[in-house]
Amino acid sequence: MRIRIFSSPRAAARALAACFAREVAANPRLVIGLPTGRTPIPLYTELSVLARTRRIDLSQTTTFNLDEFVGIPRDHPGSYRRFMQAHLFDQLASRPRRIHFLNGTAKDLARECRRYERAIARAGGIDLQLLGLGANGHVGFNEPAAALHADTHAIRLTRSTRRANAGLFGGRTDAVPEQALSMGMATILHARHVILLATGGEKARCVAGMLNGTVTPRLPASFLQLHRHAEVWLDRAAASRLTRR
Ligand code: GLP
């Protein structure tokens, strides 16, 4: 896996936004997989700036968000859809041609997951999948477990993940839904190009495990070692525990 280390989260975000701009210039109809979380916020800010100054045009792209909470409506302040609207889509003069989200209020969750897989296939698959990294090693909402789901699925969230997402729910862990929908590991690994972005010292242990350790469902991000075109973009703090590069 290619590893890139930057002096700061801002430097990583700038370089990543420039990388997005190059990819979209080469293929204006790029299909992009997007994460939420604190980590990609500087990237979304940079992309908004590039869009305002016409250095990137996302109007022909298609996006698929990785995951969504179960049981909260799309306009709920804690929903990932609202997060994406606030941090990226509402900031763009011309939004992506198609924006896809999982619907966490669907009556039949298994059916909703199948619908999402079909929509990704119909779009021709994901060209560029951006990922964050959960402090426990999750990607999307693929939580550490004895076995992982391949396809998009409903999952029960760990207490630590609910705590990590409490900021979206007024700081109250108990207010964070207990369940979520997420692309599966195969959905993610089928993307043609995967970039995982991790910044901050609290991710350092997971980053080291993911890159220097074995491939294990106990650290879902370690599955990226199996991908032909996966990159890990880090700031110095997140890279601080790497033993070999
Ligand atoms: C959530 C999301 C993940 C994200 C993770 C990390 O749990 N489901 O997709 O990668 O948070 O969040 P942060 O970037 O805030 O550390």
Side-chain angles (χ1 to χ4, degrees):
M1 263 194 294
R2 183 165 174 229
I3 303 169
R4 300 193 58 180
I5 300 170
F6 296 86
S7 56
S8 67
R10 176 102 197 274
R14 284 195 147 168
L16 196 45
C19 167
F20 267 63
R22 282 192 302 276
E23 296 272 336
V24 174
N27 175 11
R29 297 172 76 95
L30 203 72
V31 179
I32 310 171
L34 293 172
T36 50
R38 286 170 295 269
T39 312
I41 292 176
L43 167 70
Y44 295 153
T45 305
E46 292 294 333
L47 285 175
S48 307
V49 171
L50 290 188
R52 274 200 293 277
T53 51
R54 296 180 191 279
R55 284 177 284 167
I56 190 169
D57 176 8
L58 293 167
S59 64
Q60 294 303 309
T61 62
T62 296
T63 67
F64 284 91
N65 259 80
L66 264 176
D67 46 14
E68 183 57 284
F69 294 109
V70 165
I72 56 169
R74 50 189 281 177
D75 53 355
H76 185 286
S79 79
Y80 280 168
R81 178 182 279 260
R82 267 287 284 272
F83 175 98
M84 290 304 299
Q85 293 295 147
H87 291 286
L88 184 63
F89 299 135
D90 286 350
Q91 311 301 325
L92 303 172
S94 44
R95 296 147 118 225
R97 198 163 67 104
R98 293 214 174 82
I99 293 173
H100 296 269
F101 279 90
L102 280 153
N103 174 9
T105 58
K107 281 213 175 62
D108 183 339
L109 295 178
R111 192 168 171 193
E112 170 61 7
C113 292
R114 289 195 297 274
R115 178 195 70 79
Y116 212 58
E117 289 286 339
R118 276 199 307 275
I120 293 171
R122 220 177 294 127
I126 294 171
D127 295 308
L128 173 59
Q129 175 68 58
L130 180 67
L131 297 173
L133 177 66
N136 65 1
H138 72 236
V139 287
F141 273 132
N142 292 276
E143 295 277 41
L148 300 177
H149 291 267
D151 296 338
T152 301
H153 58 282
I155 190 152
R156 188 153 292 281
L157 300 177
T158 62
R159 184 84 189 159
S160 74
T161 294
R162 291 177 68 211
R163 204 178 306 121
N165 280 275
L168 294 168
F169 294 84
R172 292 170 44 235
T173 302
D174 286 334
V176 180
E178 291 177 0
Q179 258 194 303
L181 301 179
S182 176
M183 287 186 194
M185 279 319 298
T187 324
I188 292 167
L189 293 173
H190 283 152
R192 293 177 189 92
H193 182 187
V194 179
I195 299 179
L196 182 142
L197 175 66
T199 54
E202 66 280 10
K203 303 288 170 72
R205 187 182 295 272
C206 261
V207 166
M210 161 178 82
L211 292 169
N212 298 146
T214 53
V215 176
T216 165
R218 296 287 172 200
L219 207 171
S222 66
F223 275 74
L224 293 186
Q225 291 181 34
L226 304 177
H227 197 281
R228 273 172 188 273
H229 193 187
E231 300 178 42
V232 177
W233 291 40
L234 307 167
D235 70 343
R236 282 207 196 105
S240 59
R241 283 174 177 257
L242 287 181
T243 51
R244 64 185 152 80
R245 289 171 196 165

